[in-house]
Amino acid sequence: MPSYGEMSNNEKTAWTGGYIYGFAATICEAKSLGYINDWEFNELSKSIVNLYQDNMESDAYSEESTPYLYALKDRNKLDQVCKNMESFN
């Protein structure tokens, strides 16, 4: 992640929250539309969380948001997020 100076805690929370929303919205929708199967869904979700953890956490860790991202490694929690997103459609 390119560094443009130190992010405030509020900026880290907002950025990480946006990352979580974009990640979940994208793979949940892709799965619901049949673009990806269950195996791809699982692998993509792990890869996306690991990408954050390995490459972005040092600049963007948020005490408020990051634990929610890491919780999505649990397939049951991610499935629940997807169900909640479906209710908005």
Side-chain angles (χ1 to χ4, degrees):
M1 179 175 191
S3 180
Y4 300 106
E6 182 83 19
M7 284 198 293
S8 71
N9 287 336
N10 286 342
E11 289 170 326
K12 289 176 182 180
T13 298
W15 189 92
T16 303
Y19 185 86
I20 295 167
Y21 177 79
F23 146 55
T26 300
I27 69 166
C28 290
E29 189 70 9
K31 184 179 173 214
S32 74
L33 294 173
Y35 292 123
I36 60 175
N37 61 34
D38 278 340
W39 182 86
E40 292 166 321
F41 179 80
N42 288 333
E43 291 304 306
L44 281 169
S45 65
K46 289 179 207 169
S47 294
I48 292 167
V49 173
N50 289 339
L51 176 70
Y52 175 90
Q53 193 168 23
D54 296 342
N55 298 302
M56 296 176 242
E57 180 186 73
S58 62
D59 293 322
Y61 183 88
S62 162
E63 289 182 12
E64 292 179 40
S65 296
T66 300
Y68 289 107
L69 174 62
Y70 293 157
L72 297 182
K73 284 186 171 184
D74 178 339
R75 173 66 190 267
N76 292 325
K77 290 185 181 187
L78 183 53
D79 283 341
Q80 186 58 50
V81 168
C82 291
K83 285 179 187 171
N84 289 342
M85 288 184 158
E86 287 175 11
S87 69
F88 290 120
N89 292 334

